[in-house]
Amino acid sequence: MPPSSPPTDARVLAARPLAAAALLTLAACNPSRSPSPAPAPSPAAPSVVAPAATPAAPPGRGAQVFVDVSESIRGFTSTRSTALQTLHAQVIEASLSALQLNNPFQRCAVDTAVHCEAPQLTAQQARLPATYRGGYSALHLALRRPPRAPRPDLQQPDPLDPYNVTVLVTDGFQSTSTPFQPGASGDVACTAGADPSCLAALLRQRVEEGYGLWVGRLILPFDGRYFAERRLDPPMWSRITQHVAALNTDPEWNGVRFSASSPAMNGESGAFRWQGARPLLLFVLTRDIPRGRQLVGEMQRRLSVERITLRQSPADIAFSEWSPFEGLTARVLNAVRNESGGAADSVLVDRPVRQGETLVIPARCDVHGQARIRLDGVIQFGPMPPPPLATVSLTWQSPTPLDGFFLMPREAMRTLPGPFTVRTGIDCRQLPPGTRDYNFGLYGRWTVNPAAMASEWFTTGSAETSYDSPEKVFGLADLARTVIAAGVNRQGYLDRVTLRVTRQ
């Protein structure tokens, strides 16, 4: 993006919710960051280890498209190319129409401000070089939730919530002097502008609010000015020319000719002419997860037909789901005594009863009772199984210490769909008369898989600096790592069990 320092925005956002409440509604036994509000059979019943979530807002209506119109996009256009018009009309708009998501519909231009007022930007204008004149693109204004007003009639509307789907089209992010801040809030991260830290903070917040997020990359022909947004010196320019020479001998770019010329060595723009290939990014956000997946699939299908990318091959088109990563549920369905004879006959297991999210297993025994109890259950995958980016581990745990009269299940749990069987047990020989509850459950822990992340296109296609690799996106890997971690990292009980033992 061309250089220019955006005005400092010191507005204070409303308190950020700490959980994606939409994840809780995907399945009653889904792990999440927050406890599900189920009735507990006893005060000691286990709950998900996380703070409470705010109710999920429903999806809005229609769709909006934010279009980066900064000067750095101009190199994708030419008097002969209709690629950007086709992208907006035949891919984005047509996909929204096919899924009946285009009523209402608006397309907003984003430069130093967001322009949604009439006359709105048209798909035909998207192909014109003159459309792209912005000094920089304040993408954060299209994503940032407005500050809370003192009265409802003064509250500014959220840029995303009124719409079912939002699509943002850009070539990347600002390069500022601020180092990447993975844990910063939007208030802190966006003070310097829409750099990778700022976009990561705002997208992470949307994920935590329950938005699904998909990111696509298109490799398109480019011939125009590229803005490094920093002052270039001779060693930096030498590094750029060496990189161009390496690209022109790289088999991955067979048939593509790269060149860098006419550097602006004075001033802070660091602009130079770049010919060859550059990526264009599409961000899709919606609370309506199934519709978001349908939309992304439809856009991918249309892109394969329109063939607007540089090499007109699948390698030029990549999409990834960065949230919600639900993918896995589990439920204990039944419990019976595992064996008969001897001390086991002094243990009677009654029919289990489901109370909310907890399976209560009543058992009776006398002073001679000792038996194992078999638990039968099932693991199911959701519409999408856990992706390689997310590592899921399942263990049996208890929220409170358990005494030696109870046997925790010890069988290893695999994250594969299908039935499972584990065994717990009780020893009544030393129990005092009365009724006691043993609370435990199947605990899921989701973490990001670093090896899988390293091989993804948004990592391999990320540039370490803003100047020497224009065929990649500066700071994309840092942004992706932060946002994906917000969608993946969580832990809690997928299902809960209370073994209610009455020693007679």
Side-chain angles (χ1 to χ4, degrees):
M1 298 182 184
S4 182
S5 297
T8 299
D9 187 351
R11 297 175 300 175
V12 178
L13 294 177
R16 184 182 67 190
L18 295 175
L23 293 176
L24 292 173
T25 65
L26 291 168
C29 53
N30 234 18
S32 68
R33 302 176 188 84
S34 302
S36 301
S42 72
S47 61
V48 177
V49 183
T54 56
R61 293 180 57 250
Q64 63 179 342
V65 179
F66 291 111
V67 184
D68 180 344
V69 294
S70 61
E71 189 181 348
S72 62
I73 302 287
R74 191 178 298 172
F76 292 108
T77 68
S78 73
T79 56
R80 302 179 304 277
S81 174
T82 62
L84 294 188
Q85 178 179 338
T86 300
L87 172 64
H88 284 280
Q90 304 303 323
V91 177
I92 298 175
E93 274 192 66
S95 297
L96 291 168
S97 178
L99 296 176
Q100 299 182 345
L101 290 169
N102 60 342
N103 185 22
F105 172 81
Q106 73 171 8
R107 185 184 289 108
C108 306
V110 184
D111 47 27
T112 57
V114 177
H115 306 281
C116 299
E117 64 278 0
Q120 292 185 9
L121 181 68
T122 66
Q124 291 76 16
Q125 289 173 317
R127 65 171 290 189
L128 302 178
T131 297
Y132 303 96
R133 296 178 293 180
Y136 62 89
S137 186
L139 300 176
H140 58 304
L141 300 182
L143 296 171
R144 193 172 189 177
R145 190 172 290 280
R148 189 180 300 277
R151 298 202 321 261
D153 60 310
L154 299 177
Q155 182 64 52
Q156 294 295 313
D158 181 79
L160 270 61
D161 283 350
Y163 291 88
N164 189 309
V165 174
T166 295
V167 180
L168 190 153
V169 182
T170 183
D171 65 333
F173 325 108
Q174 286 180 260
S175 173
T176 66
S177 59
T178 305
F180 187 79
Q181 306 171 75
S185 67
D187 282 336
V188 173
C190 295
T191 54
D195 62 10
S197 288
C198 171
L199 270 294
L202 297 181
L203 291 172
R204 183 186 68 224
Q205 177 181 353
R206 294 296 180 172
V207 167
E208 292 172 345
E209 292 171 352
Y211 274 87
L213 173 61
W214 295 260
V215 183
R217 180 211 59 192
L218 311 179
I219 301 296
L220 299 177
F222 189 91
D223 185 355
R225 286 168 66 79
Y226 174 79
F227 297 86
E229 299 184 326
R230 58 178 299 174
R231 186 183 295 271
L232 297 178
D233 57 29
M236 293 165 67
W237 182 247
S238 176
R239 182 171 170 175
I240 293 169
T241 57
Q242 291 173 15
H243 180 66
V244 168
L247 289 175
N248 285 328
T249 59
D250 188 341
E252 179 183 352
W253 296 103
N254 188 32
V256 181
R257 184 69 182 175
F258 290 89
S259 69
S261 59
S262 306
M265 305 299 281
N266 297 318
E268 300 301 321
S269 73
F272 56 91
R273 184 181 182 188
W274 178 259
Q275 294 172 285
R278 282 202 66 216
L280 196 67
L281 299 178
L282 279 70
F283 292 83
V284 178
L285 296 103
T286 177
R287 295 184 188 273
D288 189 344
I289 307 303
R291 299 285 270 178
R293 288 174 179 152
Q294 289 177 337
L295 176 63
V296 169
E298 181 67 13
M299 287 198 297
Q300 287 180 279
R301 186 187 70 80
R302 291 178 181 272
L303 282 166
S304 66
V305 173
E306 296 297 340
R307 301 173 69 83
I308 63 174
T309 57
L310 176 63
R311 293 167 290 188
Q312 298 186 4
S313 72
D316 287 342
I317 303 171
F319 278 83
S320 292
E321 180 175 306
W322 286 8
S323 176
F325 297 108
E326 77 278 7
L328 177 68
T329 61
R331 181 76 76 164
V332 179
L333 302 176
N334 195 28
V336 296
R337 197 175 65 194
N338 189 73
E339 60 266 316
S340 299
D345 288 340
S346 295
V347 177
L348 301 177
V349 178
D350 296 326
R351 182 185 298 274
V353 177
R354 175 67 62 173
Q355 296 184 7
E357 292 185 11
T358 301
L359 184 72
V360 180
I361 305 170
R364 293 168 290 141
C365 60
D366 61 24
V367 71
H368 304 292
Q370 183 184 19
R372 293 188 303 168
I373 297 173
R374 192 183 80 217
L375 306 179
D376 296 314
V378 64
I379 292 175
Q380 294 179 318
F381 283 172
M384 294 184 66
L389 293 176
T391 298
V392 188
S393 65
L394 302 178
T395 57
W396 293 91
Q397 296 188 18
S398 173
T400 56
L402 296 171
D403 58 36
F405 312 124
F406 170 83
L407 177 65
M408 180 73 74
R410 300 186 182 276
E411 288 89 345
M413 295 293 298
R414 299 187 301 166
T415 54
L416 296 174
F420 66 81
T421 296
V422 297
R423 292 162 181 82
T424 181
I426 50 175
D427 184 348
C428 300
R429 293 173 299 177
Q430 302 180 56
L431 280 180
T435 300
R436 327 171 41 126
D437 282 357
Y438 294 95
N439 300 304
F440 61 103
L442 185 55
Y443 197 84
R445 187 184 302 272
W446 298 60
T447 55
V448 172
N449 184 331
M453 282 283 292
S455 63
E456 290 286 345
W457 63 265
F458 43 78
T459 301
T460 60
S462 178
E464 294 293 328
T465 75
S466 63
Y467 63 89
D468 68 349
S469 302
E471 84 286 0
K472 298 182 178 182
V473 181
F474 167 64
L476 182 59
D478 288 333
L479 182 148
R481 191 178 305 112
T482 300
V483 178
I484 289 173
V488 171
N489 290 343
R490 59 189 185 271
Q491 58 189 7
Y493 289 95
L494 282 83
D495 200 14
R496 311 172 196 178
V497 177
T498 292
L499 181 57
R500 181 161 294 163
V501 182
T502 299
R503 215 281 272 159
Q504 298 168 336

